[in-house]
Short mmCIF file of all heavy atoms in Angstrom, two decimals:
data_model
loop_
_atom_site.label_atom_id
_atom_site.label_comp_id
_atom_site.label_asym_id
_atom_site.label_seq_id
_atom_site.Cartn_x
_atom_site.Cartn_y
_atom_site.Cartn_z
N MET A 1 24.13 431.33 46.14
CA MET A 1 23.30 431.98 45.05
C MET A 1 23.84 433.41 44.86
O MET A 1 23.92 433.91 43.77
CB MET A 1 21.90 431.83 45.44
CG MET A 1 21.03 432.45 44.26
SD MET A 1 21.11 431.28 42.84
CE MET A 1 19.95 432.09 41.80
N LYS A 2 24.13 434.11 46.01
CA LYS A 2 24.54 435.45 45.92
C LYS A 2 25.86 435.64 45.22
O LYS A 2 26.02 436.56 44.46
CB LYS A 2 24.54 436.15 47.31
CG LYS A 2 24.80 437.55 47.17
CD LYS A 2 24.60 438.13 48.65
CE LYS A 2 24.80 439.73 48.45
NZ LYS A 2 24.25 440.41 49.55
N LYS A 3 26.74 434.62 45.39
CA LYS A 3 28.12 434.72 44.72
C LYS A 3 27.86 434.65 43.25
O LYS A 3 28.63 435.30 42.47
CB LYS A 3 28.91 433.64 45.22
CG LYS A 3 29.61 433.89 46.55
CD LYS A 3 30.43 432.86 47.07
CE LYS A 3 31.01 433.14 48.44
NZ LYS A 3 32.07 432.12 48.85
N SER A 4 27.03 433.71 42.79
CA SER A 4 26.94 433.49 41.42
C SER A 4 26.18 434.71 40.75
O SER A 4 26.59 435.07 39.58
CB SER A 4 26.03 432.23 41.07
OG SER A 4 24.82 432.27 41.51
N THR A 5 25.25 435.32 41.53
CA THR A 5 24.63 436.51 40.90
C THR A 5 25.67 437.65 40.67
O THR A 5 25.63 438.31 39.75
CB THR A 5 23.47 436.99 41.85
OG1 THR A 5 22.58 435.94 41.96
CG2 THR A 5 22.75 438.18 41.40
N SER A 6 26.49 437.78 41.79
CA SER A 6 27.50 438.80 41.70
C SER A 6 28.49 438.51 40.51
O SER A 6 28.90 439.46 39.93
CB SER A 6 28.35 438.97 43.05
OG SER A 6 27.49 439.22 44.03
N MET A 7 28.87 437.28 40.47
CA MET A 7 29.77 436.92 39.30
C MET A 7 29.15 437.26 37.91
O MET A 7 29.84 437.79 37.16
CB MET A 7 30.10 435.43 39.42
CG MET A 7 31.16 434.99 38.30
SD MET A 7 31.31 433.23 38.17
CE MET A 7 29.78 432.77 37.37
N LEU A 8 27.91 436.91 37.74
CA LEU A 8 27.21 437.17 36.51
C LEU A 8 27.06 438.60 36.30
O LEU A 8 27.29 439.10 35.07
CB LEU A 8 25.87 436.43 36.47
CG LEU A 8 25.93 435.02 36.34
CD1 LEU A 8 24.51 434.42 36.46
CD2 LEU A 8 26.67 434.55 35.13
N LEU A 9 26.92 439.48 37.37
CA LEU A 9 26.78 440.90 37.12
C LEU A 9 28.16 441.42 36.78
O LEU A 9 28.27 442.33 35.92
CB LEU A 9 26.30 441.50 38.39
CG LEU A 9 24.77 441.43 38.72
CD1 LEU A 9 24.47 441.89 40.10
CD2 LEU A 9 23.96 442.04 37.64
N GLY A 10 29.25 440.92 37.37
CA GLY A 10 30.51 441.33 37.02
C GLY A 10 30.95 440.98 35.60
O GLY A 10 31.49 441.73 34.85
N ILE A 11 30.54 439.75 35.11
CA ILE A 11 30.82 439.39 33.82
C ILE A 11 30.02 440.36 32.82
O ILE A 11 30.59 440.82 31.82
CB ILE A 11 30.43 437.95 33.59
CG1 ILE A 11 31.35 437.01 34.27
CG2 ILE A 11 30.30 437.60 32.02
CD1 ILE A 11 30.93 435.57 34.28
N GLY A 12 28.84 440.62 33.14
CA GLY A 12 28.07 441.57 32.30
C GLY A 12 28.58 442.86 32.22
O GLY A 12 28.70 443.55 31.20
N ALA A 13 29.04 443.34 33.35
CA ALA A 13 29.70 444.79 33.43
C ALA A 13 31.03 444.73 32.63
O ALA A 13 31.31 445.69 31.87
CB ALA A 13 29.99 445.18 34.79
N GLY A 14 31.84 443.73 32.72
CA GLY A 14 33.04 443.59 31.93
C GLY A 14 32.77 443.51 30.46
O GLY A 14 33.55 444.14 29.69
N ILE A 15 31.74 442.82 30.10
CA ILE A 15 31.47 442.66 28.62
C ILE A 15 30.97 444.10 28.17
O ILE A 15 31.40 444.44 27.02
CB ILE A 15 30.33 441.54 28.44
CG1 ILE A 15 30.89 440.20 28.66
CG2 ILE A 15 29.78 441.72 26.94
CD1 ILE A 15 29.85 439.11 28.54
N ALA A 16 30.06 444.73 28.86
CA ALA A 16 29.67 446.04 28.43
C ALA A 16 30.84 446.96 28.30
O ALA A 16 30.98 447.79 27.40
CB ALA A 16 28.59 446.58 29.46
N ALA A 17 31.73 447.01 29.31
CA ALA A 17 32.94 447.90 29.32
C ALA A 17 33.91 447.59 28.10
O ALA A 17 34.36 448.45 27.44
CB ALA A 17 33.71 447.82 30.61
N GLY A 18 34.06 446.29 27.90
CA GLY A 18 34.90 445.86 26.67
C GLY A 18 34.28 446.27 25.39
O GLY A 18 34.99 446.61 24.49
N ALA A 19 32.89 446.14 25.27
CA ALA A 19 32.25 446.52 24.05
C ALA A 19 32.40 448.05 23.78
O ALA A 19 32.57 448.49 22.64
CB ALA A 19 30.82 446.15 24.07
N ALA A 20 32.17 448.84 24.81
CA ALA A 20 32.32 450.22 24.66
C ALA A 20 33.86 450.63 24.42
O ALA A 20 33.96 451.46 23.37
CB ALA A 20 31.97 450.91 26.06
N ALA A 21 34.73 449.95 24.90
CA ALA A 21 36.09 450.30 24.57
C ALA A 21 36.52 449.86 23.12
O ALA A 21 37.09 450.60 22.40
CB ALA A 21 37.00 449.54 25.55
N GLY A 22 35.93 448.75 22.79
CA GLY A 22 36.25 448.20 21.40
C GLY A 22 35.47 449.03 20.41
O GLY A 22 36.02 449.30 19.27
N THR A 23 34.31 449.57 20.65
CA THR A 23 33.53 450.47 19.71
C THR A 23 34.41 451.86 19.43
O THR A 23 34.38 452.31 18.42
CB THR A 23 32.19 450.82 20.28
OG1 THR A 23 31.48 449.56 20.50
CG2 THR A 23 31.45 451.70 19.30
N MET A 24 34.92 452.23 20.56
CA MET A 24 35.70 453.52 20.35
C MET A 24 37.06 453.38 19.57
O MET A 24 37.54 454.26 18.97
CB MET A 24 36.19 454.05 21.82
CG MET A 24 35.00 454.61 22.53
SD MET A 24 35.27 455.51 24.05
CE MET A 24 35.88 454.16 25.05
N MET A 25 37.57 452.12 19.52
CA MET A 25 38.88 451.93 18.89
C MET A 25 38.56 451.35 17.48
O MET A 25 39.58 450.99 16.81
CB MET A 25 39.66 450.91 19.64
CG MET A 25 40.02 451.37 21.09
SD MET A 25 40.85 450.19 22.05
CE MET A 25 42.34 449.96 21.19
N LEU A 26 37.36 451.22 16.98
CA LEU A 26 37.18 450.73 15.64
C LEU A 26 37.74 451.58 14.57
O LEU A 26 37.64 452.88 14.63
CB LEU A 26 35.63 450.51 15.45
CG LEU A 26 34.92 449.47 16.26
CD1 LEU A 26 33.50 449.55 16.05
CD2 LEU A 26 35.46 448.12 15.98
N SER A 27 38.20 451.02 13.51
CA SER A 27 38.57 451.73 12.35
C SER A 27 37.44 452.25 11.50
O SER A 27 36.36 451.55 11.58
CB SER A 27 39.59 450.98 11.59
OG SER A 27 38.97 449.85 10.95
N ASN A 28 37.63 453.24 10.72
CA ASN A 28 36.58 453.67 9.86
C ASN A 28 36.45 453.11 8.46
O ASN A 28 35.67 453.38 7.61
CB ASN A 28 36.68 455.23 9.68
CG ASN A 28 36.45 455.89 10.99
OD1 ASN A 28 35.65 455.44 11.81
ND2 ASN A 28 36.99 457.00 11.20
N LYS A 29 37.29 452.08 8.20
CA LYS A 29 37.31 451.50 6.79
C LYS A 29 36.16 450.53 6.53
O LYS A 29 35.68 450.38 5.44
CB LYS A 29 38.58 450.85 6.45
CG LYS A 29 39.00 449.67 7.28
CD LYS A 29 40.31 449.10 6.89
CE LYS A 29 40.64 447.85 7.76
NZ LYS A 29 42.00 447.37 7.27
N ASP A 30 35.55 450.03 7.61
CA ASP A 30 34.27 449.25 7.47
C ASP A 30 33.09 449.95 7.81
O ASP A 30 33.24 450.97 8.63
CB ASP A 30 34.38 447.99 8.48
CG ASP A 30 35.41 446.93 8.07
OD1 ASP A 30 35.77 446.88 6.93
OD2 ASP A 30 35.83 446.15 8.94
N SER A 31 31.92 449.58 7.34
CA SER A 31 30.73 450.26 7.65
C SER A 31 30.35 450.11 9.12
O SER A 31 30.74 449.08 9.70
CB SER A 31 29.53 449.83 6.79
OG SER A 31 29.15 448.58 7.15
N MET A 32 29.79 451.15 9.65
CA MET A 32 29.37 451.00 11.14
C MET A 32 28.45 449.80 11.38
O MET A 32 28.54 449.20 12.41
CB MET A 32 28.71 452.25 11.48
CG MET A 32 28.56 452.57 12.98
SD MET A 32 30.24 452.76 13.57
CE MET A 32 29.88 453.33 15.15
N LYS A 33 27.60 449.44 10.36
CA LYS A 33 26.65 448.25 10.54
C LYS A 33 27.44 447.01 10.68
O LYS A 33 27.20 446.19 11.43
CB LYS A 33 25.67 448.29 9.38
CG LYS A 33 24.63 447.25 9.53
CD LYS A 33 23.71 447.32 8.37
CE LYS A 33 22.60 446.21 8.40
NZ LYS A 33 21.71 446.34 7.29
N ALA A 34 28.39 446.89 9.74
CA ALA A 34 29.34 445.59 9.76
C ALA A 34 30.03 445.46 11.04
O ALA A 34 30.23 444.49 11.64
CB ALA A 34 30.20 445.61 8.54
N GLN A 35 30.66 446.71 11.57
CA GLN A 35 31.37 446.63 12.75
C GLN A 35 30.43 446.29 13.94
O GLN A 35 30.82 445.49 14.82
CB GLN A 35 32.02 447.98 13.01
CG GLN A 35 33.16 448.31 12.06
CD GLN A 35 33.57 449.68 12.22
OE1 GLN A 35 33.08 450.61 13.05
NE2 GLN A 35 34.63 450.06 11.46
N ALA A 36 29.29 446.90 14.02
CA ALA A 36 28.32 446.62 15.07
C ALA A 36 27.89 445.12 15.09
O ALA A 36 27.79 444.52 16.12
CB ALA A 36 27.10 447.55 15.04
N GLY A 37 27.74 444.51 13.91
CA GLY A 37 27.31 443.19 13.76
C GLY A 37 28.37 442.21 14.29
O GLY A 37 28.07 441.27 14.94
N ARG A 38 29.70 442.57 14.00
CA ARG A 38 30.75 441.72 14.44
C ARG A 38 30.86 441.77 15.98
O ARG A 38 31.01 440.83 16.71
CB ARG A 38 32.02 442.16 13.78
CG ARG A 38 32.29 441.51 12.44
CD ARG A 38 33.67 441.68 11.96
NE ARG A 38 34.14 443.03 11.83
CZ ARG A 38 33.97 443.80 10.84
NH1 ARG A 38 33.32 443.38 9.73
NH2 ARG A 38 34.39 445.08 10.88
N LYS A 39 30.71 442.98 16.38
CA LYS A 39 30.86 443.17 17.99
C LYS A 39 29.71 442.48 18.67
O LYS A 39 29.95 441.85 19.75
CB LYS A 39 30.83 444.70 18.38
CG LYS A 39 32.06 445.35 17.96
CD LYS A 39 33.28 444.73 18.58
CE LYS A 39 34.51 445.24 18.06
NZ LYS A 39 35.75 444.61 18.70
N ILE A 40 28.50 442.60 18.18
CA ILE A 40 27.37 441.89 18.79
C ILE A 40 27.49 440.41 18.75
O ILE A 40 27.31 439.67 19.77
CB ILE A 40 26.03 442.26 18.07
CG1 ILE A 40 25.67 443.73 18.42
CG2 ILE A 40 24.85 441.32 18.50
CD1 ILE A 40 24.53 444.27 17.52
N HIS A 41 28.10 439.85 17.66
CA HIS A 41 28.42 438.41 17.60
C HIS A 41 29.46 438.05 18.62
O HIS A 41 29.27 437.04 19.33
CB HIS A 41 28.78 438.06 16.20
CG HIS A 41 29.28 436.62 16.03
ND1 HIS A 41 28.37 435.62 16.07
CD2 HIS A 41 30.48 436.05 15.92
CE1 HIS A 41 28.97 434.47 15.92
NE2 HIS A 41 30.28 434.68 15.92
N GLN A 42 30.49 438.88 18.70
CA GLN A 42 31.53 438.59 19.69
C GLN A 42 31.02 438.56 21.10
O GLN A 42 31.37 437.71 21.87
CB GLN A 42 32.73 439.57 19.57
CG GLN A 42 33.50 439.36 18.32
CD GLN A 42 34.53 440.45 18.11
OE1 GLN A 42 34.56 441.43 18.89
NE2 GLN A 42 35.44 440.35 17.11
N MET A 43 30.20 439.50 21.33
CA MET A 43 29.59 439.65 22.68
C MET A 43 28.69 438.40 23.03
O MET A 43 28.70 437.86 24.05
CB MET A 43 28.77 440.88 22.92
CG MET A 43 29.68 442.09 23.07
SD MET A 43 28.87 443.75 23.38
CE MET A 43 27.12 443.42 23.42
N GLY A 44 27.98 438.04 22.04
CA GLY A 44 27.00 436.82 22.22
C GLY A 44 27.80 435.61 22.51
O GLY A 44 27.47 434.82 23.35
N VAL A 45 28.98 435.38 21.72
CA VAL A 45 29.93 434.27 21.90
C VAL A 45 30.42 434.25 23.34
O VAL A 45 30.52 433.35 24.11
CB VAL A 45 31.01 434.15 20.89
CG1 VAL A 45 31.99 433.10 21.26
CG2 VAL A 45 30.35 433.86 19.49
N ALA A 46 30.89 435.48 23.85
CA ALA A 46 31.45 435.61 25.08
C ALA A 46 30.44 435.26 26.21
O ALA A 46 30.72 434.58 27.12
CB ALA A 46 32.05 437.03 25.21
N VAL A 47 29.31 435.86 26.08
CA VAL A 47 28.20 435.57 27.06
C VAL A 47 27.81 434.04 27.12
O VAL A 47 27.67 433.46 28.19
CB VAL A 47 26.86 436.32 26.82
CG1 VAL A 47 25.73 435.93 27.59
CG2 VAL A 47 27.24 437.83 27.04
N GLU A 48 27.76 433.44 25.96
CA GLU A 48 27.37 431.91 25.87
C GLU A 48 28.51 431.13 26.55
O GLU A 48 28.23 430.28 27.25
CB GLU A 48 27.28 431.53 24.40
CG GLU A 48 26.81 430.09 24.25
CD GLU A 48 26.61 429.76 22.83
OE1 GLU A 48 26.42 430.66 21.92
OE2 GLU A 48 26.69 428.55 22.52
N ARG A 49 29.75 431.49 26.29
CA ARG A 49 30.85 430.72 26.97
C ARG A 49 30.81 430.97 28.49
O ARG A 49 31.11 430.00 29.20
CB ARG A 49 32.21 431.23 26.39
CG ARG A 49 32.47 430.73 24.96
CD ARG A 49 33.80 431.18 24.54
NE ARG A 49 33.96 430.67 23.10
CZ ARG A 49 34.97 431.08 22.24
NH1 ARG A 49 35.75 432.00 22.74
NH2 ARG A 49 34.97 430.51 21.13
N ALA A 50 30.60 432.21 28.88
CA ALA A 50 30.51 432.53 30.35
C ALA A 50 29.34 431.75 31.00
O ALA A 50 29.48 431.19 32.06
CB ALA A 50 30.40 434.01 30.62
N ALA A 51 28.27 431.70 30.36
CA ALA A 51 27.17 430.96 30.89
C ALA A 51 27.34 429.42 30.96
O ALA A 51 27.05 428.78 31.90
CB ALA A 51 25.85 431.29 30.02
N ASP A 52 28.03 428.90 29.90
CA ASP A 52 28.30 427.55 29.88
C ASP A 52 29.34 427.16 31.02
O ASP A 52 29.12 426.14 31.73
CB ASP A 52 28.96 427.11 28.58
CG ASP A 52 27.88 427.07 27.48
OD1 ASP A 52 26.76 426.95 27.80
OD2 ASP A 52 28.30 426.95 26.37
N HIS A 53 30.27 428.14 31.27
CA HIS A 53 31.21 427.84 32.41
C HIS A 53 30.62 427.92 33.65
O HIS A 53 30.83 427.08 34.55
CB HIS A 53 32.45 428.86 32.16
CG HIS A 53 33.44 428.80 33.25
ND1 HIS A 53 34.29 427.70 33.34
CD2 HIS A 53 33.70 429.49 34.40
CE1 HIS A 53 35.12 427.79 34.34
NE2 HIS A 53 34.68 428.90 35.05
N ALA A 54 29.76 428.91 33.81
CA ALA A 54 29.10 429.07 35.15
C ALA A 54 28.12 427.86 35.43
O ALA A 54 28.06 427.33 36.49
CB ALA A 54 28.22 430.39 35.16
N ALA A 55 27.54 427.30 34.38
CA ALA A 55 26.58 426.21 34.57
C ALA A 55 27.44 424.98 34.88
O ALA A 55 27.03 424.19 35.75
CB ALA A 55 25.79 425.91 33.38
N SER A 56 28.59 424.77 34.29
CA SER A 56 29.39 423.61 34.52
C SER A 56 30.01 423.68 35.98
O SER A 56 30.13 422.75 36.59
CB SER A 56 30.54 423.46 33.54
OG SER A 56 31.52 424.57 33.66
N GLU A 57 30.21 424.88 36.51
CA GLU A 57 30.71 425.10 37.79
C GLU A 57 29.69 424.70 38.84
O GLU A 57 29.92 424.34 39.99
CB GLU A 57 31.26 426.45 38.04
CG GLU A 57 32.51 426.82 37.34
CD GLU A 57 33.70 426.03 37.85
OE1 GLU A 57 33.84 425.85 39.05
OE2 GLU A 57 34.54 425.58 37.06
N LEU A 58 28.39 424.97 38.54
CA LEU A 58 27.28 424.74 39.49
C LEU A 58 27.02 423.16 39.59
O LEU A 58 26.19 422.80 40.48
CB LEU A 58 26.11 425.49 39.02
CG LEU A 58 26.31 427.03 39.21
CD1 LEU A 58 25.02 427.66 38.71
CD2 LEU A 58 26.51 427.46 40.74
N ARG A 59 27.47 422.42 38.64
CA ARG A 59 27.05 420.99 38.59
C ARG A 59 27.92 420.25 39.71
O ARG A 59 28.85 420.48 40.20
CB ARG A 59 27.42 420.42 37.21
CG ARG A 59 26.41 420.88 36.24
CD ARG A 59 26.63 420.09 34.97
NE ARG A 59 25.97 420.95 33.88
CZ ARG A 59 26.24 420.84 32.64
NH1 ARG A 59 27.13 419.96 32.17
NH2 ARG A 59 25.69 421.54 31.71
#
């Protein structure tokens, strides 16, 4: 159980770091609201895939 908790914390930290780096590299031609919406969607998809993968590994 401790390994899976550590893995999930690592995934969360990686997603947060990637989101921060991606936000700093955004271009200014799109509105900030549109950029944030896309990034939130991308993060949601990444978290969903990671959770599905982790669940399939535990079976």
Side-chain angles (χ1 to χ4, degrees):
M1 183 68 176
K2 188 172 184 161
K3 286 184 180 182
S4 63
T5 303
S6 298
M7 182 191 73
L8 291 176
L9 287 174
I11 290 171
I15 290 172
T23 301
M24 288 189 289
M25 297 176 68
L26 293 174
S27 66
N28 289 331
K29 63 182 177 179
D30 289 337
S31 73
M32 196 66 167
K33 184 177 179 182
Q35 291 174 355
R38 279 194 299 274
K39 290 299 172 186
I40 289 170
H41 176 72
Q42 289 173 352
M43 286 183 1
V45 169
V47 169
E48 185 176 339
R49 287 181 181 167
D52 287 343
H53 179 71
S56 68
E57 290 291 321
L58 293 175
R59 291 184 200 162

